[in-house]
Short mmCIF file of all heavy atoms in Angstrom, two decimals:
data_model
loop_
_atom_site.label_atom_id
_atom_site.label_comp_id
_atom_site.label_asym_id
_atom_site.label_seq_id
_atom_site.Cartn_x
_atom_site.Cartn_y
_atom_site.Cartn_z
N GLY A 116 30.28 17.16 5.20
CA GLY A 116 29.30 16.81 6.21
C GLY A 116 27.91 17.35 5.92
O GLY A 116 27.02 17.26 6.77
N GLU A 117 27.72 17.92 4.73
CA GLU A 117 26.44 18.54 4.37
C GLU A 117 26.02 18.08 2.97
O GLU A 117 26.62 18.46 1.98
CB GLU A 117 26.57 20.06 4.42
CG GLU A 117 25.39 20.84 3.87
CD GLU A 117 24.08 20.47 4.53
OE1 GLU A 117 23.85 20.88 5.68
OE2 GLU A 117 23.29 19.76 3.87
N ALA A 118 24.98 17.26 2.91
CA ALA A 118 24.54 16.69 1.63
C ALA A 118 24.13 17.76 0.62
O ALA A 118 24.24 17.54 -0.59
CB ALA A 118 23.38 15.72 1.86
N ARG A 119 23.68 18.91 1.10
CA ARG A 119 23.23 19.97 0.20
C ARG A 119 24.30 21.06 0.02
O ARG A 119 24.02 22.12 -0.52
CB ARG A 119 21.94 20.60 0.73
CG ARG A 119 20.75 19.63 0.75
CD ARG A 119 19.54 20.22 1.45
NE ARG A 119 19.78 20.41 2.88
CZ ARG A 119 19.89 21.60 3.46
NH1 ARG A 119 19.79 22.70 2.76
NH2 ARG A 119 20.12 21.69 4.76
N GLY A 120 25.51 20.79 0.48
CA GLY A 120 26.55 21.80 0.48
C GLY A 120 27.30 21.97 -0.83
O GLY A 120 27.38 21.06 -1.66
N ILE A 121 27.89 23.15 -0.99
CA ILE A 121 28.80 23.44 -2.09
C ILE A 121 29.83 24.45 -1.60
O ILE A 121 29.51 25.35 -0.81
CB ILE A 121 28.07 23.97 -3.35
CG1 ILE A 121 29.05 24.07 -4.54
CG2 ILE A 121 27.39 25.30 -3.08
CD1 ILE A 121 28.37 24.31 -5.88
N GLY A 122 31.05 24.28 -1.99
CA GLY A 122 32.12 25.19 -1.62
C GLY A 122 33.25 25.11 -2.63
O GLY A 122 33.03 24.68 -3.77
N TYR A 123 34.45 25.46 -2.21
CA TYR A 123 35.59 25.42 -3.12
C TYR A 123 36.86 25.23 -2.31
O TYR A 123 37.00 25.74 -1.20
CB TYR A 123 35.67 26.70 -3.96
CG TYR A 123 35.60 27.98 -3.15
CD1 TYR A 123 36.75 28.57 -2.64
CD2 TYR A 123 34.38 28.59 -2.88
CE1 TYR A 123 36.70 29.73 -1.88
CE2 TYR A 123 34.30 29.74 -2.12
CZ TYR A 123 35.46 30.31 -1.63
OH TYR A 123 35.40 31.47 -0.88
N THR A 124 37.79 24.45 -2.86
CA THR A 124 39.05 24.16 -2.18
C THR A 124 40.19 24.13 -3.18
O THR A 124 39.99 24.23 -4.38
CB THR A 124 39.01 22.78 -1.47
OG1 THR A 124 38.95 21.75 -2.46
CG2 THR A 124 37.82 22.66 -0.55
N SER A 125 41.38 23.93 -2.64
CA SER A 125 42.56 23.75 -3.47
C SER A 125 42.54 22.37 -4.11
O SER A 125 42.00 21.40 -3.56
CB SER A 125 43.81 23.89 -2.60
OG SER A 125 44.96 23.43 -3.26
N LEU A 126 43.15 22.25 -5.27
CA LEU A 126 43.27 20.96 -5.95
C LEU A 126 44.05 19.95 -5.11
O LEU A 126 43.85 18.74 -5.25
CB LEU A 126 43.95 21.15 -7.31
CG LEU A 126 44.18 19.91 -8.18
CD1 LEU A 126 42.86 19.19 -8.46
CD2 LEU A 126 44.87 20.29 -9.49
N SER A 127 44.91 20.42 -4.23
CA SER A 127 45.71 19.52 -3.41
C SER A 127 44.93 18.90 -2.25
O SER A 127 45.45 18.08 -1.50
CB SER A 127 46.93 20.26 -2.85
OG SER A 127 46.53 21.34 -2.02
N THR A 128 43.66 19.26 -2.09
CA THR A 128 42.82 18.72 -1.02
C THR A 128 42.64 17.21 -1.18
O THR A 128 42.54 16.69 -2.29
CB THR A 128 41.44 19.41 -1.06
OG1 THR A 128 41.61 20.80 -0.85
CG2 THR A 128 40.51 18.86 0.02
N ASP A 129 42.58 16.50 -0.06
CA ASP A 129 42.28 15.07 -0.09
C ASP A 129 40.76 14.93 -0.15
O ASP A 129 40.07 14.90 0.87
CB ASP A 129 42.83 14.39 1.18
CG ASP A 129 42.73 12.88 1.13
OD1 ASP A 129 41.84 12.36 0.42
OD2 ASP A 129 43.54 12.22 1.80
N PHE A 130 40.22 14.85 -1.36
CA PHE A 130 38.78 14.84 -1.55
C PHE A 130 38.13 13.60 -0.94
O PHE A 130 37.12 13.69 -0.25
CB PHE A 130 38.45 14.92 -3.05
CG PHE A 130 39.00 16.14 -3.73
CD1 PHE A 130 39.99 16.05 -4.70
CD2 PHE A 130 38.54 17.41 -3.38
CE1 PHE A 130 40.49 17.17 -5.32
CE2 PHE A 130 39.05 18.55 -3.99
CZ PHE A 130 40.03 18.42 -4.97
N GLU A 131 38.70 12.44 -1.21
CA GLU A 131 38.11 11.19 -0.72
C GLU A 131 38.05 11.16 0.80
O GLU A 131 37.04 10.77 1.39
CB GLU A 131 38.92 10.01 -1.25
CG GLU A 131 38.33 8.65 -0.88
CD GLU A 131 39.10 7.50 -1.49
OE1 GLU A 131 40.04 7.74 -2.28
OE2 GLU A 131 38.75 6.34 -1.18
N LYS A 132 39.12 11.57 1.43
CA LYS A 132 39.16 11.57 2.90
C LYS A 132 38.07 12.44 3.50
O LYS A 132 37.50 12.12 4.56
CB LYS A 132 40.54 12.06 3.37
CG LYS A 132 40.66 12.23 4.88
CD LYS A 132 42.01 12.84 5.25
CE LYS A 132 42.10 13.13 6.74
NZ LYS A 132 43.39 13.78 7.08
N ASN A 133 37.74 13.53 2.83
CA ASN A 133 36.77 14.49 3.35
C ASN A 133 35.35 14.29 2.82
O ASN A 133 34.47 15.11 3.08
CB ASN A 133 37.24 15.91 3.05
CG ASN A 133 38.43 16.31 3.90
OD1 ASN A 133 38.29 16.60 5.08
ND2 ASN A 133 39.62 16.31 3.30
N ASN A 134 35.12 13.21 2.07
CA ASN A 134 33.78 12.91 1.54
C ASN A 134 33.24 13.99 0.61
O ASN A 134 32.04 14.27 0.57
CB ASN A 134 32.78 12.68 2.68
CG ASN A 134 33.11 11.46 3.50
OD1 ASN A 134 33.50 10.42 2.97
ND2 ASN A 134 32.99 11.58 4.82
#
Side-chain angles (χ1 to χ4, degrees):
E117 171 55 75
R119 295 173 293 111
I121 188 168
Y123 51 89
T124 68
S125 166
L126 180 57
S127 61
T128 299
D129 188 334
F130 301 114
E131 184 176 356
K132 174 185 175 183
N133 288 284
N134 295 319

